[in-house]
Amino acid sequence: MAPLRFAANLDWLFQEETTLPRRMEASSQAGFPAAELCFPYSCGAQELREAADRAGLEVVLLNTPPGNKGDKGLGAVPGRQAEFREALGLAVKYAKILKCPRIHIMAGQIPLGAERDAVADLMEATFIENLRYAADILAQENLIGQLEPINNRITDPRYFLTTPQQAAAILKKVGSPNLKLQLVFSFAAGHIQIAQVPARHEPDSPGELDYSYLFQLLETMGYSGYIGCEYAPKGDTVKGLGWLYSYWKSHGVMRSGS
């Protein structure tokens, strides 16, 4: 069985470095072959392309721009369809320059002061409209769109997309093969991300998930995509990578840093 492949999420890892290009270099030096760049838009796309080339790093995931300060995406936000299309266009531009195959389409939040039940139908209709538009654009560029539910009890009580079931139902209504589910550890997803539960630290830190078993299961299932490391290191990023270096050693993988 082929060893699993891991990507550093640079919104979470290598925060010791102050710029995104330096985080890209640090992740490569630590042994990562790939990175997720959630919000790269404060840097020029060509600057990041050059940084990725220097580091020998593959970029495997971007997010759509979140919107205005405090926003968490525009996909399901009524009345902001034009802003969504502009944000999607920017994400596609970056994805093409960075040779990134996937874009996480952020749903956005319930408007301040609104009750979830009162706006749910309108927000779902808005999301479906925007996703159908996005699916056509992404198909033209040979890109994949990802939807990620976010836990509204732990992470963000106002985020619209909160469960895998809700996301799957919306994807079914859109009916596009180039839109997929993205979850923090899910076999059915188009992209997998990992973090320990509930504290969201390293996979080998104390918590509810046995990642040694889960990695073995993914290997048995033949999972060949990247696994995004989207966790908050308890301390120095590199010092917390013992779990990854142990995995590589046990599978005969030789990488710098390990």
Side-chain angles (χ1 to χ4, degrees):
M1 292 178 288
L4 300 173
R5 301 187 298 163
F6 296 90
N9 185 299
L10 298 184
D11 266 33
W12 292 81
L13 304 189
F14 300 100
Q15 295 301 300
E16 298 87 356
E17 302 294 342
T18 56
T19 68
L20 187 50
R22 290 177 65 177
R23 286 180 207 140
M24 295 168 75
E25 179 62 31
S27 66
S28 176
Q29 290 178 356
F32 282 99
E36 301 175 343
L37 310 183
C38 292
F39 300 110
Y41 305 105
S42 62
C43 294
Q46 190 58 43
E47 177 189 3
L48 295 177
R49 175 70 265 159
E50 292 169 2
D53 288 342
R54 287 195 303 270
L57 204 63
E58 184 180 353
V59 178
V60 297
L61 182 69
L62 307 176
N63 289 358
T64 50
N68 298 327
K69 185 177 180 180
D71 290 337
K72 290 189 177 178
L74 301 169
V77 182
R80 300 182 68 180
Q81 287 91 328
E83 293 175 73
F84 170 81
R85 294 185 178 196
E86 182 178 355
L88 178 70
L90 182 60
V92 168
K93 173 187 173 182
Y94 269 70
K96 291 175 64 178
I97 293 174
L98 292 170
K99 302 177 184 177
C100 175
R102 297 176 191 83
I103 298 173
H104 167 207
I105 301 173
M106 300 189 69
Q109 297 170 304
I110 304 292
L112 280 171
E115 294 293 331
R116 182 177 293 272
D117 289 345
V119 297
D121 289 346
L122 176 59
M123 292 191 72
E124 180 178 294
T126 301
F127 203 17
I128 290 171
E129 174 190 343
N130 283 334
L131 288 173
R132 285 176 174 155
Y133 172 83
D136 289 341
I137 298 297
L138 296 176
Q140 294 171 29
E141 303 295 346
N142 197 29
L143 296 170
I144 296 295
Q146 307 272 166
L147 304 189
E148 180 183 1
I150 293 178
N151 191 313
N152 66 325
R153 290 174 294 178
I154 298 175
T155 304
D156 183 353
R158 290 176 48 222
Y159 200 73
F160 171 70
L161 194 66
T162 62
T163 69
Q165 294 81 7
Q166 180 191 13
I170 289 172
L171 287 173
K172 184 176 181 180
K173 291 177 181 178
V174 176
S176 173
N178 67 329
L179 297 181
K180 299 182 183 298
L181 192 58
Q182 171 183 312
L183 296 175
V184 177
F185 210 88
S186 167
F187 301 137
H191 186 72
I192 291 173
Q193 295 173 322
I194 58 172
Q196 188 52 271
V197 176
R200 199 160 188 165
H201 293 313
E202 286 85 347
D204 63 344
S205 61
E208 299 175 9
L209 299 179
D210 180 355
Y211 273 102
S212 294
Y213 166 75
L214 293 174
F215 291 160
Q216 290 176 7
L217 190 56
L218 283 174
E219 291 170 4
T220 301
M221 297 177 66
Y223 179 74
S224 61
Y226 275 105
I227 297 173
C229 299
E230 194 185 56
Y231 61 80
K234 295 177 72 174
D236 178 83
T237 298
V238 174
K239 291 181 179 177
L241 290 175
W243 67 272
L244 179 58
Y245 296 155
S246 295
Y247 177 86
W248 281 341
K249 183 177 180 180
S250 69
H251 288 71
V253 177
M254 300 297 297
R255 299 202 62 85
S256 60
S258 61

